[in-house]
């Protein structure tokens, strides 16, 4: 049965991994942490299922190679261009400050500069998998702090390859480390240029030929052969295997079949990287953790302070507000997955001693474990930080003269652009407030009335004459900023119509309670649009579809609001529990030329004409002898169904 030993070990290892992942999912523990704990349980400090982590070293190293390969595959040039400033400015500042801060702190301890720089590598990297999943789950990816985080993580992914290449050199192997680093740097650049330029066309041609066969197995094996072949080539040249895998991924990513390669390779990557993290977990000693918990807790707090401060400085350098920068720093505070890879290499080359490696593992696992909960708290932290920065509104010279009855649009994404375009075409005066400085500079050069401003600040709303604005439209993706903006705007200007876009139905009632007049729910609007497309596919008449769409939307939003908030008509301050609708009388319509008494709108249809707008003048509560004419804009008040039934009277 000895020949079954490896299979027995593998079966036990994967069974433990499944158990820990299942329990971790229920306890909201990140998968990386669950796999590290599974490795600890299987290793010599746990159940002793695998006495030596070297038994799985080959599989673990293959996992690292595949991980770098997939990072290269997923690193699209379009994404790099889109986040260029955040990646290369924000990322460089973040990683550079981390390295400098660690180097400065360890200067007080008798530690060599090479070892201090290596520790800086470990600290500078954050967890891409945990952070991006947490931000996506909490709908914070498109928030300002989410953009900073994404750009920084992309830079860290790019920086991993040169860091891994530098670790053996920092250990002082062979010749002088500085001279060796320069020599290997030149060699790396030459090899990278050769592979990226020379291999680009050959690999592209090869993959297209393979794809034409329409065999998933052939495509997968070809991609693996390219990955391992390039990694082997860089290894023979004295460079890192992982660097070769990363370059191979970049080469393959330029081909038309890169997405198919990613789909095929990801399951294998997940298996092998799971083994890698479990192999790292096998080195973790829980007894050491218990004995040194005070030191570990202190280092964890120091890590939180250091990386949050560094992230805050990077955000401020990118000209983001203080509270946004702090949120980005908090999200990035944990140790990253690739730090485990670097730590393993450093342990092998003597840059870390065994007890130092145990401290690193303990702090890293703890930082990863608390990250999901911390990301969930970011919206509340953001609201609190924004409220602490609130200032009393300033008037006088700061008020923008000439802005009256205007629209304030917060956020210039797809929604903001659409609203601004319609406002421009409709002759509605508007101003856009945006937190991305690059967007402000670009759109201002195109003539868009846009300014850099934080809508959560009272002084900003006052500066843009919020007292005389007709409506404020909030189209920003930061839930904390939305809540704060609604609170501030409603407290300052109770008569301002605040219209909010939100993602989930559950967020409607809290926003209405804070003072929003209307909340548009992406989740609900998507469902209605899908319903409309289904009815069109089944050939239902357009009028029936429009009627049903109106009914479902009115009924659906009515259930999301408390009765007192269903409608607060802006015409003359009229407020009721009914809906208000504005309709234009078309030439030749049944109402064209009729008096209100003749139209019988109230008795027959159950709707009331609250006001009529004609030739720049508003007539409130017109009498029964008022005669409607083509072009009149009529404000109706009534139940949703009643208003819909009266719509044909306004059409020609």
């Amino acid at each position: 049965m000895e020949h079954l030993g490896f299979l027995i070990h593998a079966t036990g290892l994967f069974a433990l991994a499944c158990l820990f992942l299942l329990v971790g999912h229920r306890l909201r523990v990140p998968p990386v942490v669950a796999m590290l704990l599974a490795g600890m349980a299987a290793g010599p400090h746990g159940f002793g299922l695998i006495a030596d982590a070297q038994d799985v070293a080959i599989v673990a190293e293959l996992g690292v190679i595949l991980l770098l390969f997939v990072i290269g595959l997923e690193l699209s040039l379009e994404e790099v261009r889109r986040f260029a400033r955040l990646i290369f400015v924000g990322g460089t500042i973040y990683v550079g400050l981390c390295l400098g801060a660690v180097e400065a702190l360890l200067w007080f301890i008798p530690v060599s500069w090479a070892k201090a720089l290596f520790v800086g590598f470990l600290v500078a990297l954050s967890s891409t998998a945990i952070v991006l999943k947490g931000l996506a789950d909490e709908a914070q990816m498109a928030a300002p702090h989410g953009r900073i985080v994404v750009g920084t993580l992309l830079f860290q992914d790019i920086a991993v390859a040169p860091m891994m290449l530098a670790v053996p050199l920092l250990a002082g192997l062979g010749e002088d480390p500085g001279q060796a680093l320069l020599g290997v740097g030149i060699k790396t650049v030459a090899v990278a240029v050769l592979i990226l330029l020379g291999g680009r066309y050959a690999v592209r041609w090869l993959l297209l030929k393979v794809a034409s066969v329409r065999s998933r197995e052939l495509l997968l094996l070809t991609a693996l052969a390219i990955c391992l072949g390039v990694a082997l080539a860089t290894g023979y040249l004295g460079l890192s295997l992982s660097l070769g895998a990363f370059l191979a991924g970049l080469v393959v990513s330029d081909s038309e079949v890169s997405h198919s390669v990613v789909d095929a390779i990801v399951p294998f990557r997940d298996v092998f990287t799971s083994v890698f993290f479990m192999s790292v977990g096998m080195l973790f000693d829980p007894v050491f953790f218990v004995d040194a918990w005070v030191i570990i807790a202190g280092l964890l707090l120091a890590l939180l302070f250091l990386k949050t401060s560094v992230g805050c400085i990077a955000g401020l350098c990118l000209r983001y507000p203080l509270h946004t920068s702090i949120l980005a720093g908090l999200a990035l505070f944990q140790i990253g997955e690739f730090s485990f890879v670097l730590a393993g290499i450093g342990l092998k080359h003597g840059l870390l001693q065994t007890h130092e490696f145990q401290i690193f593992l303990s702090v890293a696992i703890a930082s990863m474990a608390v990250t999901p909960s911390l990301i969930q708290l970011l919206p509340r932290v953001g609201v609190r930080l924004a409220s602490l920065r609130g200032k009393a509104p300033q008037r006088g010279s700061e008020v923008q003269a000439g802005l009256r009855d205007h629209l304030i649009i917060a956020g210039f994404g797809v929604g903001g652009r659409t609203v601004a375009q319609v406002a421009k075409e409709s002759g509605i005066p508007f101003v856009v407030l945006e937190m991305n400085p690059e967007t402000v500079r670009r759109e201002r050069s195109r003539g868009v009335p846009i300014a850099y401003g934080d809508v959560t600040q009272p002084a900003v709303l006052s500066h843009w004459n919020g007292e005389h604005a007709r409506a404020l439209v909030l189209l920003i993706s930061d839930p904390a900023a939305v809540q704060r903006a609604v609170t501030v705007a409603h407290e300052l200007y109770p008569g301002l119509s605040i219209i909010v876009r939100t993602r989930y139905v559950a967020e409607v009632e809290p926003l209405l309670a804070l003072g929003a007049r209307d909340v548009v729910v992406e989740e609900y609007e998507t469902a209605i649009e899908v319903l409309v497309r289904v009815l069109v596919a089944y050939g239902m008449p357009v009028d029936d579809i429009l009627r049903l769409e109106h009914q479902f939307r009115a009924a659906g939003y009515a259930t999301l609001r408390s009765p007192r908030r269903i409608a607060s008509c802006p015409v003359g301050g009229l407020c009721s529990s009914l809906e208000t609708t504005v309709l234009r009388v078309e030439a030749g319509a049944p109402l064209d030329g009729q008096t209100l008494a003749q139209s019988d709108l109230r008795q027959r249809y159950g709707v009331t004409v609250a006001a009529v707008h004609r030739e720049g003048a508003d007539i409130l509560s017109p009498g029964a002898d008022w005669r409607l004419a083509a072009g009149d804009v009529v404000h109706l008040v009534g139940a949703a169904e009643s208003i819909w039934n009266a719509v044909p009277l306004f059409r020609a």
Side-chain angles (χ1 to χ4, degrees):
M1 297 289 290
E2 292 183 0
H3 63 284
L4 296 179
F6 175 78
L7 185 59
I8 293 172
H9 290 169
T11 303
L13 188 61
F14 284 114
L16 275 175
C18 292
L19 176 62
F20 275 80
L21 285 170
L22 179 61
V23 174
H25 175 73
R26 294 187 179 277
L27 298 178
R28 299 183 65 85
V29 173
V32 172
V33 175
M35 287 184 287
L36 289 167
L37 294 176
M40 181 200 70
H45 302 293
F47 299 130
L49 179 63
I50 297 179
D52 188 357
Q54 294 301 318
D55 292 344
V56 293
I58 296 177
V59 178
E61 188 169 1
L62 185 58
V64 175
I65 290 173
L66 291 178
L67 192 58
L68 267 295
F69 181 58
V70 174
I71 285 179
L73 278 172
E74 294 177 337
L75 193 63
S76 69
L77 295 178
E78 177 59 33
E79 192 173 30
V80 171
R81 281 194 294 268
R82 188 157 56 96
F83 289 95
R85 183 169 174 269
L86 292 173
I87 293 173
F88 297 108
V89 177
T92 301
I93 293 172
Y94 184 89
V95 173
L97 286 177
C98 279
L99 297 179
V102 173
E103 189 83 33
L105 289 173
L106 294 183
W107 184 80
F108 296 98
I109 306 174
V111 173
S112 67
W113 69 268
K115 184 170 184 176
L117 183 59
F118 171 72
V119 175
F121 287 170
L122 301 181
V123 172
L125 299 179
S126 304
S127 174
T128 301
I130 295 175
V131 174
L132 292 187
K133 184 179 186 304
L135 292 177
D137 290 345
E138 299 300 320
Q140 298 177 39
M141 288 283 285
H145 66 273
R147 292 197 292 265
I148 298 174
V149 169
V150 171
T152 305
L153 290 173
L154 283 173
F155 180 82
Q156 292 178 6
D157 287 344
I158 296 172
V160 164
M163 284 182 180
M164 294 182 68
L165 186 66
V167 170
L169 301 175
L170 292 176
L173 300 181
E175 52 193 297
D176 176 67
Q179 183 180 349
L181 189 60
L182 177 61
V184 173
I186 296 173
K187 185 190 295 186
T188 300
V189 172
V191 170
V193 171
L194 180 64
I195 292 175
L196 293 177
L197 295 182
R200 177 181 180 183
Y201 300 103
V203 169
R204 196 173 188 178
W205 174 85
L206 175 62
L207 289 176
L208 285 175
K209 290 294 183 181
V210 169
S212 65
V213 180
R214 300 182 181 273
S215 171
R216 181 182 176 87
E217 294 80 8
L218 180 59
L219 181 63
L220 171 62
L221 292 174
T222 303
L224 286 174
I226 293 171
C227 169
L228 298 177
V230 177
L232 188 62
T234 55
Y236 272 119
L237 292 173
L239 302 175
S240 166
L241 295 174
S242 300
L243 175 65
F246 178 73
L247 293 174
L250 286 177
V251 170
V252 175
S253 70
D254 193 45
S255 70
E256 290 80 355
V257 298
S258 59
H259 294 295
S260 299
V261 173
V262 172
D263 292 339
I265 209 82
V266 161
F268 292 89
R269 178 207 64 180
D270 292 342
V271 171
F272 290 122
T273 51
S274 298
V275 174
F276 165 74
F277 286 117
M278 285 187 282
S279 70
V280 173
M282 291 175 196
L283 303 175
F284 180 67
D285 186 356
V287 175
F288 179 89
F289 180 86
V290 173
D291 292 340
W293 72 269
V294 175
I295 297 175
I296 293 167
L299 289 174
L300 183 63
L301 291 175
L303 180 71
L304 176 63
F305 176 77
L306 172 65
K307 297 193 72 174
T308 301
S309 301
V310 167
C312 181
I313 294 172
L316 292 174
C317 290
L318 291 169
R319 298 181 60 187
Y320 281 91
L322 179 63
H323 75 277
T324 298
S325 303
I326 293 175
L327 295 183
L330 286 171
L332 290 166
F333 103 94
Q334 74 294 131
I335 299 295
E337 297 91 350
F338 277 108
S339 295
F340 292 104
V341 181
L342 294 175
I345 300 173
L347 182 65
K348 183 170 65 175
H349 291 304
L351 284 171
L352 283 182
Q353 302 303 316
T354 303
H355 71 282
E356 294 171 336
F357 184 75
Q358 288 295 331
I359 292 175
F360 162 76
L361 283 181
S362 301
V363 174
I365 292 173
S367 69
M368 285 182 161
V370 302
T371 296
S373 299
L374 182 61
I375 290 177
Q376 287 181 334
L377 292 175
L378 288 183
R380 299 180 195 175
V381 175
V383 170
R384 182 61 179 165
L385 290 173
S387 65
L388 292 176
R389 295 179 61 243
K391 301 177 183 177
Q394 303 175 18
R395 302 184 184 278
S397 60
E398 287 202 357
V399 175
Q400 297 296 302
L403 277 177
R404 294 290 186 278
D405 203 35
H406 57 292
L407 170 66
I408 301 176
I409 304 170
F412 206 59
V414 175
R417 295 174 190 277
T418 303
V419 174
Q421 181 65 29
V422 173
K424 181 179 179 180
E425 294 175 354
S426 304
I428 299 173
F430 70 94
V431 63
V432 179
L433 299 179
E434 171 60 44
M435 291 293 294
N436 189 329
E438 291 297 321
T439 301
V440 173
R441 284 194 288 268
R442 182 179 65 251
E443 299 301 329
R444 183 178 291 169
S445 66
R446 297 174 180 174
V448 177
I450 187 172
Y452 179 84
D454 185 354
V455 75
T456 67
Q457 299 305 309
V460 172
L461 289 175
S462 176
H463 182 79
W464 295 103
N465 216 356
E467 183 178 5
H468 297 288
R470 171 73 69 91
L472 167 65
V473 180
L474 296 173
L475 297 167
I476 51 183
S477 301
D478 185 348
V482 169
Q483 293 182 27
R484 174 64 181 163
V486 171
T487 302
V488 170
H490 184 64
E491 289 178 354
L492 287 176
Y493 315 114
L496 181 66
S497 293
I498 304 172
I499 303 165
V500 184
R501 179 205 66 192
T502 189
R503 189 171 183 181
Y504 300 115
V505 170
E507 298 172 352
V508 173
E509 192 58 39
L511 289 170
L512 291 172
L514 291 174
R517 179 179 183 271
D518 285 297
V519 181
V520 179
V521 188
E522 291 182 9
E523 188 178 35
Y524 195 73
E525 291 297 325
T526 300
I528 292 176
E529 186 62 25
V530 170
L531 174 63
V532 169
R533 300 299 175 92
V534 170
L535 296 178
V536 169
Y538 277 88
M540 181 174 285
V542 174
D543 286 347
D544 290 342
I545 292 176
L546 294 176
R547 178 176 55 81
L548 288 172
E549 180 185 2
H550 182 82
Q551 289 177 350
F552 280 119
R553 180 173 281 107
Y557 279 108
T559 61
L560 301 177
R561 306 167 180 165
S562 57
R564 63 184 173 83
R565 303 197 60 86
I566 287 182
S568 53
C569 178
V571 181
L574 176 64
C575 295
S576 74
S577 61
L578 302 175
E579 286 200 357
T580 62
T581 300
V582 180
L583 297 172
R584 186 186 300 274
V585 179
E586 297 179 0
L591 290 180
D592 186 6
Q594 284 194 342
T595 64
L596 293 181
Q598 293 171 335
S599 69
D600 208 18
L601 284 170
R602 180 176 297 177
Q603 287 76 19
R604 184 176 178 184
Y605 293 94
V607 296
T608 300
V609 176
V612 177
H613 181 83
R614 177 186 292 178
E615 297 178 353
D618 290 323
I619 296 86
L620 300 179
S621 301
D625 59 345
W626 175 269
R627 190 175 299 278
L628 297 170
D632 284 350
V633 177
V634 182
H635 296 255
L636 294 179
V637 179
E641 182 68 20
S642 300
I643 292 175
W644 177 261
N645 292 334
V647 167
L649 299 178
F650 291 80
R651 294 177 176 173

